[in-house]
Every structure is written in C-alpha cells, then in structure tokens.
C-alpha cells in the first residue's frame, strides 16, 4: 500500500481478498443473522451455495466497497474473517486489516412468487442492484467449448440436482419478484440481467435476444417510464439485434464481455466465442453498440489476470499489463469502458489448478483502467461500486470527479 | 464514548442551528456545504446525508475515508459556536441504517434521492466563539495585544 499511496486502500484490500480468498471463524459465522443477512444467492458463475449451510454471501467494507467472493476451504493463504469485540474484521496472519459487514437481505428474499418459486432464486441482490439471470446454461459448453475460467454449467447443474433450482426463469416470476423488490424504499439503483449464451435462432443469438426482450419487458412492466436504469451482460449481438433489444425494452446500457483482451489468448481460453463469432467480430459488435446506447453506456468485462493462465498466457506481468491496457485503450477511445474482475481459478472451471497474478498486478490494472476512463471522459454509472461491486477499477472511479 | 459534550450533542440535534461541513480535495482545495440536517447518532458520531452522489463534496468525502483525511464541521446558534474535526468512518449505501435515513429524507422532501449516509467520527472539538478563542490566546500568548487596551 505504501507504494500506491494514490490508490484507495479499500480497493487494494478488496483485490487481495478476492485473489487470495478468505475463510470465516466460527465466531464470525455465529454473527450471521439469517433474518437480516444474505446467506443464499443465485449466481451464474461461482457457486449457488449449499442450501443448508448458513454462510454470508459476501462482504461490505466501511466505505461501501463490496468484496464479491466466496470462502474457500482449499485456499493456500486466505484472509480470515473474525468477530472481535462485537465487530467483524478481516484479519491476515492474526492482524486486523479492516472492518467488514455482511450483505443485508432485501425484504423480498423470503417471499414466493405465485408459482411457488422462492423470490431469492429469481433475483439475487447486490448492495444496490437487482440481479436477474434468466438462463443459467451456456450453449458454448454443449460442444465442450465453454470459457476456461467459467463454471456456469457445472454450477447450475449441481444446483438443479441438489436444490431443485431451475436453470431457466419464467417471465411471470420475474415480473412478480421485481414488483415486490420495488416496494422497499431506497434498496436498488439498477436492474441487471445476465445469462449463459444461447446460440440458436435464425441468426446466432436470436433466441438469446428474444429471451432478454421477454424478460426485460416483464421486469419493465413494473416501471412508470419505458426506460429504467438497467443493463444486460450478454453475448455480442449484431447491430440488428441490438436495435431490436433497445427499441422493445427499457434497457439503457449494455455489456458484452471480451473476457481476455488479446486475440490469441481469446481463441484459446474462449474457444467457443472465437469459433462461432471470432475475437475481431465480438469486439466490433461491442463497439458498434455505442451507436445505440451512447458512449459510456457500453462496457466490456475482462477476467483480470487470466491473460497469465498457463501454458499459453503471458509469463511476465509487465508484458501482460501492457497488452491488456493497450487493448482497453482502443475500446475506451471508441466509447467503451473496460472493467475487470479478479480472476479466481474456480472449482468446476478448466483453470481450477492455476495461480492468479500478484496483488501489485491487480492494483496497476485497476488504476490503469480507471485512468483510461478519466482520459476518455467515460462515466461508469452503469457498473459502478454500488451497482456491481465486482470491479476494483470502477470502484476507483468514485474518487474522481 | 463520544468526545462531544451534551451541549454540542443538543446543538447537533437542533434543526435551527447553522451547520457547515468543510472538506478538501486531492489538491487541498477546500469545499464547504451548509446543511442544517447534519445530526448525531446514538454513538455520538455525526451523520451527514449526501444527496448528490457525483458532487464535489461526495468525492471529497470518499477520498477522505480512503486516505484518512479530516473534515471539519462548524456548528453555531446564538452565542454558541463550535468547530468539530473528524474522520469519515463509514459510507453507508445500503441496509437498515441507509433505509432509515432514505425514508427520513423523503419525508423532508419527496424529491430527495439519498445517495450515502456518511458517519463522521469526531476527533477534536474547538469552542469557536470569539470569547473562547480570545481567552485562550490571552492565556497562552499574553504579549499579543494592543497597548491601548491596557491603558488606564
Ligand atoms: S460465454 Fe463463456 S463466460 Fe459466458 S457463460 Fe458461456 S462459458 Fe461462461
């Protein structure tokens, strides 16, 4: 931290906790109040959790920064969340690092839709965002070409089997859950939808677009105006598909993840995306979305650090960072923000045995991406610290005017 | 236990009192806002409700919590005047405390869309009345005065 005095220490802590993971002491787990805190959550990538285990879904720091991560029993050098004098702290080798809080549970979480679906399975909640993932199955996996860092289908298959959690949501359940969620004053500032890629249709992704239109319309029926603060994290749609989506729904912003901003590594790590669409076309489509949604309203996510996955990734952090930031600058100069999450080699993904880069790499990456937004005057209100919380770089933007 | 005396706590709860919050940006340029809704919680910490997420004040508070920079609050009513310096300790954007103040600000004005509940931990209190400041100076620097004031 001494070396990066101009970078928020909260963001540095978040990055390190995510990359090294964390565990809870029994005392800290005892502080979880099931009536107040979230301990169940539906997520696309990661783990939907064991329905019987009461483990907090995530952490919040004093400045409102989220740490989106899961405790890992196999982590080699994890942080420890402990309860000391009635407060919760992140500790490292027995030393207190920072105070943390568990994520609160919104009012709708324990309710059921008219079809009997628990509402927490329809919409998960981040501190200020409603997350609705209508389809937890990615077609790229059907041909064995899922992205190597991703575990979407492994997670959704396990949840379906063990917890009877449906992979697909219905529009009626979405409508009812959003209706209920909006009754809680001040609880949400954004609605996000995401899903596994759906390749079918007359043109690739046509069915995915239709699915989003149906779901966004169902959610949108709850709002006074046609447009409402919303985003989707979806496949790279053609201009025709994007226009259809924009015209027929309340959608205001759009994200499609390039994942690995380097063509050769993309071809290896995101083999399905590369085979079906290709790196250049995937990128071109994201940039063209700016024509419809406007500069600053389109972003692309990268799995920060995954460019160092072996055996084909960069072996030198300086080279990796340079390549990533150059490509991110190309996006930014054309109105697209690049945001990163911290790559966690997850159970159920092809990269589960890999090692992510150093903390310093993540600090430089976050600063580099945030500085690019400053340089090209792109705001990231669609995906900022309070809406998503998964991007150390957009957390930093909140300190800029 | 809070370092704020009962007097000051009462003043902080008084909506008629003048309350001003001063922050600085990363270049040290000061910025002040006047807001008589600044108040105090049960733990003796100061509560400031930020309504504009992207304001200069908001960004200064964010940098203050990140880099442990003090903010100042001026508090006065009638003859009473205080300056409180403190550190932003929490930026609350969700949960029961946020929602409590969200509803409160809506009651004040249905147009208000609360961004953040800032909790400021007081660290230093200065009695800011002229009398208090002058008495202090006389005690500590007896040579600083105009002679005509001492004439018979
Ligand atoms: S496109 Fe890749 S990252 Fe997205 S859900 Fe499918 S496999 Fe996972």
């Amino acid at each position: 931290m001494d070396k990066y005095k101009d970078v928020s220490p909260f963001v540095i802590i978040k990055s390190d906790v995510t990359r090294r993971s964390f565990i809870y002491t029994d005392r800290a787990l005892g502080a979880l109040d099931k009536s107040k805190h979230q301990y169940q959550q539906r997520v696309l990538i990661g783990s939907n959790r064991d329905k019987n285990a009461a483990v907090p879904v995530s952490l919040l720091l004093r400045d409102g920064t989220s740490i989106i991560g899961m405790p890992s029993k196999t982590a080699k050098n994890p942080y420890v969340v402990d309860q000391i004098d009635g407060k919760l702290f992140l500790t490292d080798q027995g030393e207190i690092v920072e105070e943390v809080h568990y994520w609160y549970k919104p009012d709708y979480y324990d309710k059921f839709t008219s079809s009997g679906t628990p509402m927490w399975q329809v919409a998960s909640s981040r501190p200020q965002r409603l997350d609705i993932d209508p389809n937890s199955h990615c077609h790229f996996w059907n041909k064995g070409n899922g992205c190597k860092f991703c575990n979407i289908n492994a997670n959704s298959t396990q949840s379906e089997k063990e917890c009877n959690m449906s992979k697909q949501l219905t529009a009626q359940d979405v409508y009812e859950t959003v209706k209920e969620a909006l009754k809680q004053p001040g609880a949400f500032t954004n609605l996000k939808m995401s899903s596994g890629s759906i390749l079918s249709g007359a043109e690739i992704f046509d069915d995915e677009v239709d699915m989003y239109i149906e779901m966004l319309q169902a959610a949108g029926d709850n709002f006074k105006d046609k447009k409402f603060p919303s985003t989707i994290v979806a496949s790279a749609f053609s201009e025709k598909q994007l226009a259809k989506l924009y015209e027929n729904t309340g959608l205001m912003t759009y994200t499609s993840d390039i994942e690995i901003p380097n063509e050769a590594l993309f071809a290896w790590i995101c083999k399905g995306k590369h085979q079906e669409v290709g790196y250049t076309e995937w990128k071109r489509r994201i940039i063209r979305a700016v024509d419809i949604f406007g500069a600053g309203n389109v972003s692309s996510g990268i799995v920060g650090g995954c460019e160092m996955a072996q055996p084909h990734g960069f072996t030198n952090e300086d080279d990796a960072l340079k390549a990533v930031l150059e490509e991110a600058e190309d996006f930014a100069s054309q109105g697209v923000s690049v945001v990163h999450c911290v790559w966690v080699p997850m159970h159920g993904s092809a990269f589960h045995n890999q090692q992510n880069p150093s903390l310093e790499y993540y600090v430089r990456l976050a600063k580099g991406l945030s500085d690019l937004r400053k340089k090209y005057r792109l705001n990231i209100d669609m995906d900022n610290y309070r809406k998503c919380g998964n991007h150390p770089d957009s957390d930093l933007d909140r300190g800029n005017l | 236990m809070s370092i704020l005396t009962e007097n000051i706590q009462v003043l902080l709860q008084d909506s008629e009192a003048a309350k001003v919050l001063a922050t600085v940006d990363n270049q040290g340029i000061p910025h002040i806002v006047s807001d008589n809704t600044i108040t105090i919680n049960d733990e003796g910490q100061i509560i400031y409700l930020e309504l504009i997420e992207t304001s200069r004040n908001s960004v200064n508070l964010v940098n203050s919590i990140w880099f442990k920079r003090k903010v100042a609050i001026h508090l006065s009513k009638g003859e009473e005047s205080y300056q409180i310096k403190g550190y932003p300790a929490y930026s609350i954007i969700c949960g029961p405390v946020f929602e409590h103040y969200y509803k409160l600000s809506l009651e004040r004005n249905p147009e208000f869309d609360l961004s953040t509940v800032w909790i400021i931990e007081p660290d230093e209190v200065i009695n800011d009345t002229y009398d208090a400041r002058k008495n202090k100076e006389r005690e500590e620097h007896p040579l600083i005065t105009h002679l005509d004031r001492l004439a018979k």
Side-chain angles (χ1 to χ4, degrees):
Chain A
M1 280 195 211
D2 284 347
K3 200 164 161 194
Y4 293 97
K5 284 203 162 62
D6 57 343
V7 179
S8 161
F10 292 90
V11 173
I12 298 177
I13 291 166
K14 165 196 182 124
S15 300
D16 205 34
V17 174
T18 318
R19 70 177 266 283
R20 281 171 46 192
S21 191
F22 58 95
I23 53 173
Y24 294 97
T25 63
D26 289 342
R27 270 197 307 245
L29 285 178
L32 177 95
D33 180 342
K34 281 168 117 176
S35 68
K36 251 176 40 190
H37 301 124
Q38 279 194 59
Y39 60 98
Q40 292 168 304
Q41 200 180 51
R42 179 193 183 104
V43 295
L44 273 183
I45 299 168
S47 165
N48 287 334
R49 284 149 216 280
D50 166 0
K51 72 171 175 182
N52 300 315
V55 176
V57 301
S58 262
L59 305 171
L60 200 58
L61 295 174
R62 279 189 303 122
D63 73 332
T65 298
S66 290
I67 297 179
I68 299 182
M70 276 161 288
S72 163
K73 288 194 182 104
T74 54
K76 291 187 187 79
N77 181 24
Y79 281 80
V80 177
V81 178
D82 199 1
Q83 191 188 36
I84 302 165
D85 296 335
K87 286 184 173 183
L88 293 161
F89 292 95
L90 274 168
T91 65
D92 187 11
Q93 318 290 344
E95 299 278 320
I96 288 181
V97 177
E98 241 317 312
E99 190 178 341
V100 287
H101 296 262
Y102 296 153
W103 282 11
Y104 292 101
K105 183 163 74 168
D107 294 349
Y108 73 84
Y109 243 47
D110 291 334
K111 301 193 170 148
F112 292 83
T113 66
S114 58
S115 67
T117 313
M119 287 192 178
W120 71 266
Q121 290 189 10
V122 180
S124 26
S125 156
R126 292 206 175 167
Q128 283 274 326
R129 186 173 87 176
L130 270 178
D131 271 14
I132 300 176
D133 302 330
N135 162 46
S136 311
H137 179 84
C138 178
H139 286 193
F140 284 124
W141 284 51
N142 295 354
K143 297 178 193 163
N145 286 339
C147 303
K148 289 191 165 48
F149 51 81
C150 178
N151 74 345
I152 181 170
N153 288 9
N155 179 38
S156 60
T157 303
Q158 187 182 352
S159 301
E160 189 175 50
K161 205 161 70 194
E162 291 176 6
C163 312
N164 197 25
M165 200 185 285
S166 165
K167 288 182 184 174
Q168 270 82 32
L169 300 178
T170 68
Q172 182 63 22
D173 278 355
V174 168
Y175 168 76
E176 289 175 24
T177 305
V178 173
K179 189 180 178 72
E180 195 59 38
L182 296 185
K183 289 180 185 163
Q184 188 173 355
F188 301 104
T189 56
N190 197 34
L191 186 149
K192 179 225 99 180
M193 284 192 184
S194 190
S195 141
S197 287
I198 303 175
L199 308 184
S200 56
E203 188 187 316
I204 188 171
F205 308 135
D206 266 357
D207 289 347
E208 186 179 333
V209 171
D210 288 345
M211 183 271 299
Y212 278 121
I213 290 175
E214 185 193 7
M215 296 297 166
L216 283 164
Q217 285 179 345
D221 282 346
N222 291 294
F223 293 91
K224 277 192 286 229
D225 298 327
K226 185 179 171 199
K227 293 284 173 191
F228 57 94
S230 51
T231 200
I232 57 168
V233 185
S235 299
F237 299 141
S238 67
E239 286 94 322
K240 200 173 98 197
Q241 289 168 334
L242 286 168
K244 186 176 171 193
L245 194 58
Y246 186 78
E247 279 155 21
N248 289 292
T249 67
L251 191 63
M252 290 176 76
T253 65
Y254 170 73
T255 292
S256 181
D257 295 341
I258 195 77
E259 318 284 13
I260 312 293
N262 174 284
E263 182 152 14
L265 292 174
F266 181 86
W268 170 52
I269 297 172
C270 306
K271 201 169 158 197
K273 288 183 173 190
H274 195 61
Q275 269 177 8
E276 302 291 339
V277 181
Y279 182 84
T280 313
E281 176 62 8
W282 198 282
K283 180 180 170 186
R284 193 196 67 79
R285 289 177 175 208
I286 296 169
I287 292 165
R288 288 282 60 84
V290 175
D291 300 338
I292 294 172
F293 291 91
N297 293 330
V298 178
S299 71
S300 188
I302 59 170
V303 188
C306 204
E307 54 281 354
M308 297 201 67
Q310 293 308 311
H312 302 301
F314 290 91
T315 50
N316 175 297
E317 292 194 348
D318 287 339
D319 294 344
L321 199 65
K322 185 166 173 284
V324 169
L325 291 178
E326 273 173 13
E327 191 66 341
E329 178 144 20
D330 193 39
F331 273 105
S333 67
Q334 299 180 75
V336 176
S337 274
V338 171
V339 291
H340 89 281
C341 58
V342 173
W343 171 40
V344 182
M346 267 175 311
H347 181 73
S349 76
F351 280 165
H352 64 103
N353 278 330
Q354 300 257 354
Q355 171 66 43
N356 50 21
S358 68
L359 172 59
E360 187 163 353
Y361 184 80
Y362 285 107
V363 175
R364 291 167 67 199
L365 178 62
K367 178 95 173 62
L369 294 176
S370 174
D371 286 350
L372 281 175
R373 264 190 299 280
K374 214 165 149 185
K375 180 172 171 187
Y376 291 96
R377 297 173 179 273
L378 294 172
N379 85 52
I380 191 71
D381 292 349
M382 64 186 288
D383 212 0
N384 68 7
Y385 80 101
R386 71 166 56 212
K387 293 198 167 109
C388 179
N390 207 7
H391 315 300
D393 58 293
S394 68
D395 289 349
L396 287 181
D397 286 27
R398 112 184 238 227
N400 298 332
L401 193 65
Chain B
M1 214 183 72
S2 176
I3 62 165
L4 303 179
T5 61
E6 209 177 313
N7 233 10
I8 297 175
Q9 301 206 17
V10 169
L11 211 52
L12 275 164
Q13 282 155 357
D14 185 344
S15 61
E16 305 281 299
K19 298 161 190 175
V20 174
L21 171 69
T23 58
V24 287
D25 71 11
N26 289 347
Q27 279 72 47
I29 298 172
H31 183 84
I32 56 173
V33 291
S34 163
D35 182 349
N36 67 349
T37 67
I38 290 172
T39 182
I40 187 166
N41 67 10
D42 293 344
E43 273 96 72
Q45 297 163 311
I46 294 165
I47 304 283
Y48 168 73
L49 303 182
E50 177 60 62
L51 299 174
I52 311 286
E53 171 121 0
T54 54
S55 67
R56 163 54 68 200
N57 193 57
S58 177
V59 172
N60 286 0
L61 282 164
V62 167
N63 281 287
S64 299
I65 194 171
W66 284 357
F67 303 116
K68 293 206 176 78
R69 221 175 264 151
K70 277 190 187 183
V71 299
I73 289 137
H74 166 82
L75 179 67
S76 64
K77 188 179 182 186
E79 297 296 299
E80 279 188 284
S81 178
Y82 299 96
Q83 196 169 146
I84 305 162
K85 306 249 168 82
Y87 292 100
Y90 297 91
S91 159
I92 300 180
I93 57 158
C94 58
V97 172
F98 178 83
E99 283 166 30
H100 166 76
Y101 286 107
Y102 183 87
K103 286 179 201 152
L104 212 66
S105 43
L106 275 181
E107 280 165 24
R108 279 186 197 133
N109 184 337
E111 289 299 311
F112 285 170
D113 187 9
L114 180 66
S115 159
T116 310
V117 178
W118 282 98
I119 299 193
I120 297 163
E121 189 73 62
D123 184 60
E124 186 188 349
V125 182
I126 301 159
N127 188 334
D128 230 10
T129 58
Y130 174 73
D131 279 354
R133 287 184 293 132
K134 198 66 203 171
N135 288 342
K136 184 168 181 283
E137 186 179 69
R138 281 196 185 122
E139 230 170 73
E140 292 171 11
H141 305 278
L143 300 182
I144 299 178
T145 189
H146 291 101
L147 293 182
D148 62 293
R149 302 193 157 255
L150 306 174
K152 263 193 191 161

